[in-house]
């Protein structure tokens, strides 16, 4: 019976390597998103002398938004791999920027990134306020506030957990 238990434990522990497929998929998605970003950048560069100030601000916000989404994908890939699959070799200088992201701090960073992305999207909407109905503006604002409250609650809960551990 003990050998069966050990076999089941090994299988369950080894199943974490299935997550690598998801992380490699995110690498591919990041590459596709980089192509999308380059396309947007070329469009902005071609129209740099045509766009007025408001259009240029919207275009720059779109590029910033894309950079934040790409950073979010990278953060999830790296932290997820390190937390659930395998540790990176800390002797390598290539991974020294990673730092330590446990699942609690990852949740807070992801929530903060979502709030930042939502903020930029909401700013883009407000810069084009005439194109949106009052109802849509209200719902977009409520969704953004929900993201903000969720991020604050996650931070608060992480603080409580840190105190309980310490």
């Amino acid at each position: 019976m003990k050998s069966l238990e050990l076999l089941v434990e090994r299988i369950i522990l080894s199943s974490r390597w299935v997550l690598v497929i998801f992380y490699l998929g995110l690498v591919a998605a990041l590459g596709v998103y980089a192509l999308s970003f380059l396309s947007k950048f070329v469009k902005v560069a071609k129209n740099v002398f045509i766009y007025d100030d408001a259009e240029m601000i919207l275009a720059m916000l779109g590029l910033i938004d894309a950079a934040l989404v790409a950073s979010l994908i990278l953060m999830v890939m790296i932290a997820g791999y390190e937390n659930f699959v395998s540790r990176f070799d800390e002797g390598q200088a290539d991974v020294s920027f990673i730092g330590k992201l446990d699942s609690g701090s990852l949740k807070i960073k992801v929530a903060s990134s979502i709030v930042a992305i939502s903020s930029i999207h909401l700013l883009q909407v407000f810069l084009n306020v005439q194109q949106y109905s009052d109802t849509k503006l209200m719902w977009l604002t409520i969704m953004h506030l929900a993201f903000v409250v969720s991020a604050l609650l996650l931070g608060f809960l992480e603080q409580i957990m840190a105190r309980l551990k310490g």
Side-chain angles (χ1 to χ4, degrees), residues 22-140:
F22 294 93
Y23 299 130
L24 292 175
L26 287 176
V27 170
L30 190 58
V32 169
Y33 200 55
L35 292 174
S36 170
F37 176 85
L38 286 173
S39 171
K40 290 175 189 174
F41 176 79
V42 168
K43 181 180 175 188
V44 171
K46 283 181 182 177
N47 293 309
V48 70
F49 298 112
I50 298 169
Y51 285 166
D52 62 19
D53 287 342
E55 290 171 320
M56 187 55 84
I57 290 170
L58 284 171
M60 290 298 122
L61 287 174
L63 295 176
I64 291 168
D65 189 35
L68 287 171
V69 169
S71 298
L72 179 61
I73 293 169
L74 183 68
M75 183 180 8
V76 168
M77 281 187 315
I78 291 172
Y81 181 85
E82 183 160 276
N83 284 325
F84 302 114
V85 179
S86 179
R87 299 276 181 225
F88 288 100
D89 184 4
E90 293 184 36
Q92 295 179 355
D94 292 350
V95 293
S96 62
F97 70 94
I98 295 173
K100 295 293 174 212
L101 279 178
D102 60 8
S103 60
S105 61
L106 176 62
K107 284 186 243 178
I108 291 171
K109 287 183 182 288
V110 168
S112 299
S113 296
I114 291 170
V115 168
I117 291 165
S118 175
S119 297
I120 289 172
H121 183 257
L122 198 57
L123 180 57
Q124 288 173 318
V125 167
F126 286 143
L127 289 173
N128 282 320
V129 74
Q130 67 280 1
Q131 296 178 8
Y132 296 91
S133 69
D134 289 343
T135 304
K136 183 152 184 158
L137 288 171
M138 177 192 70
W139 282 112
L140 288 170

